[in-house]
Amino acid sequence: MALATFKGGTHPPEKKELSKDSPIEVLSEPEKVIIPLSQHTGAPCKPAVNVGDTVKKGQLIGTPEGFVSAAVHSSVSGKVTGIENVQLPTGRFSQAIVIENDKQNEWTNLKDNPDYMNLSPEELKNKIKEAGIVGLGGAAFPTHVKLSPPKEKPIDIVILNGAECEPYLTADYRLMIEKTSEVVEGLKILMKILGVKRGIIGIEANKPDAIEKMKEAVRGIEGIEVWALKVKYPQGAEKMLIKATTGREVPPRGLPMDVGVVVQNIGTAFAIFEAVRYGKPLIERVVTVTGEGIKNPKNLMVKIGTPVSHLIEFCGGFKNGIGKLVAGGPMMGFALSGLDVPVTKGTSGILVMSDSEVIHTEDFKPCIRCGRCVDACPMGLMPSMLSVLGEKGFYEEMKEYNLFDCFECGTCAFVCPSKRPIVQFIRLGKSLVKP
Amino acid sequence: MEAIKEKLIVSVSPHVRTEESVSRIMWTVNLALLPATVMAIYFFGIRALYVLSLSVMSAVFFEWAFEKFTKRPVTISDGSAFLTGLLLGMNLPSGVPFYLPVIGSFVAIVITKHLFGGLGYNIFNPALIGRAFLLLTWPRIMTTWLEPSGFTVDAKTTATPLMILKEEGIGRLLELFGDKANLYIHLFTGQRAGSLGETSVIAILIGGLFLLWRGYITWHIPLSFLGTSAVIAWVFGGKGVLFTGDPLIHLMSGGMMIGAFFMATDYVTSPMVRKAQIIFGIGCGFLTMLIRLKGGYPEGVMFAILIMNCFAPLLDRAFKTRVFGARKGQKK
C-alpha cells in the first residue's frame, strides 16, 4: 500500500542519524534559569513572585492572563534574583523570572492520581490547564484552549503528530521509543476529554522502530490506529497530517476543529500524561542538540529556562567553526543571536550549523519562473509570485495570491534554485498589510 | 562565548537549501543540447561549428559587455547567455554570413533580455526574438538552406521538407525521398535541409527525454504542443479531404521538436502553473499549424511560441493554483 501523504512538499536531507540513537539524557543542573512569562501563543503571564522570593520546583511563578494563555512554573528550586526583559529564541522579547538554582530539586506538593482515567473530562482539562501545557511542536499554543472547541464544532478524531518531519530533530522519536506507553496514555486522556472514539498516531516511515513500538503499545486498545506516513516535508504540518490520515482538508484560514479533528504533538501527549497522572507542571522538555557544528549530538531532558550555552557545553562544545545557531529545526527554526537565550516550552531542538553549511541568502538571484515552488507548496500557493511582489513592495497585491494562507513551512525557499528568501518576503508582507 | 556572538549569523528560515541552482539548470540544458550540436556538426560540417561558436561567443560577450557597461554583476558564468547563443545558432541556416549570428545575439541578449531587466524578467524567448529579427531583416539569407553534406566544401542549396510540402505538395516530397519510410528515416535522423539544430529528431529527443527524466522540464508543454500539432496535421493536413494528413511529417520537420522541448519550455517565458502550461502548449501547437497550413510561411513554430510568450503571465493568473482546503471554484 502506498504510504499516506499530501500533495506537494519536498525532501530536505534528513540528518536524523546524528542524534537518533542517543537515549534521552537528563541535562546537568544549570546555575540559573531564565523563565520567560510569554512562551506561548496568547497573552503573557503576570509575575506571581517577587525578587528575593524562594521558590520550589513546580511552583507557579507566572499567572495566566485570560483564557488564551498558559501558566508558567519554576523548573528549579532556588531564589528569584530578577525579573528582566529577555530575548526569546523567536527573537521577540518577554519579561522573564530569573531564578538562582539551589540544586536541591525541592518540589512543591505534587498529587499522584493513579486513578486518573476516572476523572471527568472537565477535571482532566483543568489539570492540563494548571500544568501550563502548550503545544510542544513549536507553535506553543495553549493546549487547554485546543481542547475546548465550541459546541458547533464536534470533534471525532484526535491525531498524535509523530511525523517529526523537520530534519535533524529526534526529540519526539526518542519519546516514542522510550516513553511509548506514557504517550499512548496521553492520547487516551485526550480522547476522553474530547469524547472521541478514534485516535490516530501518524509517524513518518523513516522511524520504523517507533512505528513498531507504537503498534505494539496500542494492540488491543479499541479505536487507536498507528499510521506510517510518507517521508516528505512538511508531513508533520497539522493540515497535511490531517489530509494524509483522514482525507479531510481544513478550509483556508480554518482550524483542524472545522473538520472535526484535534492534533497534538507527541511531546505534548507525554506532558499531558505527566500532568494528569502526577500533577507535574510543564517544567522540562526533550530538546535535540544536534548539527555538524556540535561535538556530541544528544537528546536532552532540559529544564525550561536553561540558557542555550549550558546545553552546548554539556554536548562537548562547538566544532568545525560555528556559523548559525537555530532553535528548532532547519526548515522553520529561528536563528539565535546569542547563547544566553533560554530554552522555552516551544524549543524542540538546538541546531548548530557549521560555517560552511550556512547559506548566504543575501546573494539571491531573480526568480526565473521555474515553478518548482508552485509544485512544492503544500498549501497550493504561488510562492514565486509572492516573492516577486514582496521584493518590489506590492504588499497589498500579495493578498491576491493568498498571502495569509501561508504557514511559512519554508518548502518554497528550500527548493528555489535562485535561493530567494521567499519566507522573508512573505513575513514582511504579512506584517505590513491587514488580512 | 562573547567572540561567538559576533560571528553568529541570523536570518529567516529555512536554514537549509537545495543544491539546485540557476547555473546548474542552465548548464544542464546546455548539456542536453549536446547530441543535437554533434548532429548539426555531423550534417552541416565546419559551417555549423562556425555559426554555433560565433553565436555562443557573441551572446556571452554581449552579456558581459552590457553588464560591465551598466555596472551590474557579471553573470556570464550562469550559462544562460551561453544557452541563448547556442539556441540562436541552432535556429540559423548553415550558410549564413558571420554578421548574422552576431547581430542575432545582440538582439537576443541586449534588447530582448537585458533591456527588459535581465534573466527572469524578459517577456519573450531571447533566442527566438533574435531569430525573428534576422528572418524579417534578411529574409533571403535566412531561407537559403544547404544540403546536409557534412564536411564537403561546396554544399548545394535546396529547400526544406516543409517548403516542398507547402509549395509542391506531399507527392513531390515522396518523390524526392523515395518512399514514406525513407522520408521518415531522413527526418528522424536529421538528414535534411533546415536550421542547424532542428533537423535531427533523435538527437533532440535524447536531450529532451534527459531533461524530462531529470525533472528539469515536465511533459505538460511538449506533449500538449506536439499532441495539438499532430491532431491538427492529421485532421486538416491532407489534400482537401479531412482526416488524411500525415502528422509524423509535421512533427519531425521544421523546428517542431526543438521548439517543443527546448524553446517553449523556457522557464522565464512560459507559465508556471501546470494547467496553464497545457493551454500554453495547445496554443503553440494551434498557432504553429495555423501558420504552416494557412499562413504565408512554411514554418510557424517560432512565431507561435513568441505569440504564446505574451500570454504566459496571463495564463498563470487565469489558472491560479487551488489553495489547500478551498472548494472547487471557490474564489477568495
Side-chain angles (χ1 to χ4, degrees):
Chain A
M1 195 191 81
L3 294 166
T5 191
F6 62 96
K7 199 173 152 239
T10 188
H11 300 275
E14 293 170 29
K15 302 278 190 178
K16 306 266 188 192
E17 64 281 356
L18 287 173
S19 59
K20 80 185 247 294
D21 295 324
S22 311
I24 299 169
E25 266 178 78
V26 177
L27 176 63
S28 62
E29 293 286 327
E31 294 303 320
K32 62 166 188 182
V33 289
I34 306 147
I35 304 178
L37 291 171
S38 173
Q39 307 181 33
H40 47 266
T41 309
C45 293
K46 261 205 346 225
V49 289
N50 292 311
V51 177
D53 285 2
T54 313
V55 292
K56 288 183 176 167
K57 193 173 169 182
Q59 183 181 328
L60 185 80
I61 54 171
T63 329
E65 291 273 276
F67 185 60
V68 185
S69 186
V72 172
H73 305 80
S74 176
S75 54
V76 296
S77 57
K79 202 171 131 193
V80 177
T81 58
I83 298 178
E84 297 167 9
N85 210 25
V86 301
Q87 195 170 21
L88 302 178
T90 56
R92 294 201 170 82
F93 283 84
S94 158
Q95 230 183 16
I97 313 275
V98 183
I99 302 166
E100 205 177 82
N101 187 2
D102 66 12
K103 304 192 182 175
Q104 299 303 308
N105 274 308
E106 202 182 320
W107 278 93
T108 53
N109 288 328
L110 296 187
K111 197 173 145 246
D112 192 6
N113 272 302
D115 236 7
Y116 58 90
M117 273 322 245
N118 288 328
L119 294 173
S120 76
E122 222 29 63
E123 287 170 310
L124 289 169
K125 200 159 78 185
N126 231 353
K127 289 200 174 288
I128 290 171
K129 187 177 174 190
E130 278 167 15
I133 294 176
V134 301
L136 297 186
F141 192 78
T143 301
H144 65 273
V145 182
K146 246 182 166 181
L147 298 178
S148 313
K151 277 244 158 49
E152 63 275 18
K153 307 269 184 204
I155 304 294
D156 64 343
I157 302 178
V158 176
I159 302 177
L160 272 201
N161 188 352
E164 202 162 49
C165 61
E166 271 278 5
Y168 289 97
L169 302 187
T170 53
D172 288 344
Y173 166 77
R174 289 313 310 180
L175 275 177
M176 288 190 283
I177 295 281
E178 296 177 38
K179 307 282 182 191
T180 321
S181 58
E182 288 89 336
V183 170
V184 173
E185 286 305 303
L187 175 58
K188 280 160 71 180
I189 295 165
L190 284 164
M191 289 165 70
K192 171 143 193 192
I193 293 174
L194 290 160
V196 163
K197 298 265 179 301
R198 194 171 167 212
I200 295 173
I201 304 172
I203 306 170
E204 271 195 353
N206 58 356
K207 305 179 251 298
D209 39 350
I211 295 171
E212 265 323 295
K213 283 206 95 163
M214 275 296 164
K215 277 192 170 157
E216 191 64 40
V218 303
R219 188 159 297 160
I221 304 177
E222 210 176 319
I224 299 186
E225 309 151 29
V226 176
W227 282 61
L229 309 170
K230 191 171 171 185
V231 183
K232 187 167 75 171
Y233 183 85
Q235 183 65 72
E238 242 175 15
K239 292 182 175 183
M240 280 68 242
L241 182 64
I242 295 170
K243 169 78 178 169
T245 51
T246 68
R248 300 176 191 175
E249 285 194 7
V250 178
R253 323 273 172 92
L255 293 168
M257 66 180 178
D258 294 330
V259 293
V261 179
V262 163
V263 180
Q264 293 288 354
N265 166 269
I266 292 289
T268 316
F270 178 66
I272 286 172
F273 167 76
E274 291 213 305
V276 168
R277 167 72 210 257
Y278 306 112
K280 189 177 151 191
L282 181 58
I283 56 161
E284 55 184 7
R285 65 157 298 151
V286 184
V287 178
T288 303
V289 184
T290 183
E292 314 291 344
I294 190 91
K295 269 219 185 83
N296 312 308
K298 286 178 194 292
N299 297 293
L300 301 174
M301 187 60 88
V302 179
K303 294 189 164 71
I304 303 295
T306 307
V308 167
S309 54
H310 190 67
L311 281 71
I312 302 288
E313 246 163 71
F314 189 77
C315 292
F318 298 122
K319 65 168 190 188
N320 295 343
I322 177 181
K324 219 182 214 181
L325 211 53
V326 178
M331 294 299 283
M332 285 185 83
F334 299 92
L336 300 178
S337 58
L339 289 167
D340 30 17
V341 174
V343 165
T344 64
K345 293 174 182 177
T347 310
S348 46
I350 297 294
L351 170 62
V352 187
M353 298 177 78
S354 65
D355 218 5
S356 56
E357 285 178 289
V358 175
I359 284 103
H360 296 269
T361 43
E362 63 269 26
D363 304 329
F364 70 91
K365 295 199 162 58
C367 171
I368 57 166
R369 296 171 46 84
C370 67
R372 282 172 173 75
C373 57
V374 180
D375 283 340
C377 178
M379 285 304 292
L381 309 180
M382 294 172 68
S384 51
M385 291 307 295
L386 289 167
S387 90
V388 170
L389 291 170
E391 184 184 8
K392 303 290 179 207
F394 291 93
Y395 305 116
E396 274 302 323
E397 284 77 2
M398 292 172 86
K399 288 199 282 190
E400 275 174 51
Y401 287 90
N402 306 301
L403 174 64
F404 286 94
D405 284 297
C406 170
F407 64 93
E408 301 169 16
C409 66
T411 305
C412 51
F414 176 82
V415 301
C416 180
S418 289
K419 317 284 175 222
R420 295 174 65 77
I422 306 178
V423 176
Q424 186 166 338
F425 287 131
I426 288 176
R427 282 202 192 146
L428 185 65
K430 281 181 177 175
S431 68
L432 292 176
V433 294
K434 292 208 172 70
Chain B
M1 292 286 179
E2 275 309 302
I4 280 162
K5 190 168 178 166
E6 309 276 301
K7 276 187 63 193
L8 283 179
I9 296 159
V10 179
S11 63
V12 173
S13 60
H15 307 288
V16 284
R17 300 300 183 97
T18 171
E19 305 259 291
E20 198 57 80
S21 67
V22 173
S23 57
R24 195 196 308 195
I25 293 170
M26 295 299 171
W27 287 114
T28 307
V29 180
N30 280 317
L31 180 71
L33 280 166
L34 189 64
T37 310
V38 170
M39 292 308 270
I41 295 167
Y42 173 76
F43 283 125
F44 297 102
I46 199 78
R47 286 189 188 87
L49 196 61
Y50 169 74
V51 171
L52 291 176
S53 30
L54 203 55
S55 76
V56 166
M57 285 190 303
S58 49
V60 173
F61 168 77
F62 285 128
E63 175 143 308
W64 174 83
F66 184 90
E67 286 170 338
K68 276 281 167 204
F69 182 69
T70 55
K71 301 195 171 58
R72 282 154 212 261
V74 172
T75 58
I76 53 171
S77 61
D78 71 11
S80 101
F82 189 102
L83 180 60
T84 300
L86 185 57
L87 282 171
L88 175 68
M90 294 287 216
N91 282 290
L92 297 177
S94 53
V96 294
F98 76 92
Y99 53 87
L100 253 71
V102 176
I103 293 172
S105 283
F106 178 82
V107 173
I109 293 293
V110 176
I111 296 178
T112 320
K113 182 179 175 185
H114 281 289
L115 289 187
F116 279 82
L119 182 67
Y121 293 105
N122 48 299
I123 299 165
F124 296 102
N125 187 311
L128 284 182
I129 288 284
R131 181 180 190 273
F133 179 83
L134 298 179
L135 178 68
L136 299 176
T137 315
W138 289 280
R140 255 188 33 153
I141 301 176
M142 285 293 287
T143 50
T144 303
W145 313 93
L146 299 181
E147 277 184 337
S149 47
F151 284 84
T152 50
V153 182
D154 44 6
K156 283 201 285 286
T157 61
T158 181
T160 65
L162 278 180
M163 286 164 82
I164 299 166
L165 191 65
K166 184 142 201 155
E167 308 292 325
E168 300 166 83
I170 180 106
R172 173 71 181 143
L173 198 56
L174 291 177
E175 201 178 292
L176 279 172
F177 282 89
D179 57 11
K180 217 165 208 185
N182 211 22
L183 170 64
Y184 285 159
I185 290 169
H186 275 75
L187 292 178
F188 191 64
T189 54
Q191 203 174 359
R192 56 131 169 131
S195 295
L196 287 170
E198 72 175 25
T199 67
S200 179
V201 171
I202 169 93
I204 294 163
L205 271 181
I206 290 172
L209 292 176
F210 169 73
L211 291 182
L212 275 173
W213 169 58
R214 303 292 303 158
Y216 284 91
I217 59 174
T218 59
W219 57 268
H220 303 77
I221 291 174
L223 198 71
S224 56
F225 190 163
L226 297 175
T228 306
S229 303
V231 170
I232 295 176
W234 173 57
V235 178
F236 299 105
K239 243 195 176 149
V241 191
L242 290 181
F243 303 105
T244 56
D246 187 328
L248 275 182
I249 293 180
H250 273 285
L251 290 189
M252 295 200 291
S253 39
M256 184 76 83
M257 281 294 162
I258 196 166
F261 283 103
F262 287 94
M263 316 293 287
T265 54
D266 171 38
Y267 289 151
V268 177
T269 55
S270 66
M272 298 177 278
V273 180
R274 296 300 175 207
K275 256 189 231 157
Q277 290 182 342
I278 293 175
I279 306 297
F280 180 87
I282 292 174
C284 287
F286 173 77
L287 291 172
T288 299
M289 293 313 295
L290 185 71
I291 295 168
R292 280 188 183 185
L293 297 178
K294 298 287 170 204
Y297 288 97
E299 170 58 311
V301 169
M302 176 186 78
F303 288 120
I305 296 175
L306 285 174
I307 292 168
M308 289 313 292
N309 283 164
C310 311
F311 290 98
L314 199 65
L315 285 170
D316 271 341
R317 273 182 84 93
F319 291 90
K320 251 190 225 171
T321 47
R322 184 190 72 104
V323 177
F324 181 91
R327 265 160 293 142
K328 259 205 182 109
Q330 183 183 336
K331 286 266 173 333
K332 292 196 307 166

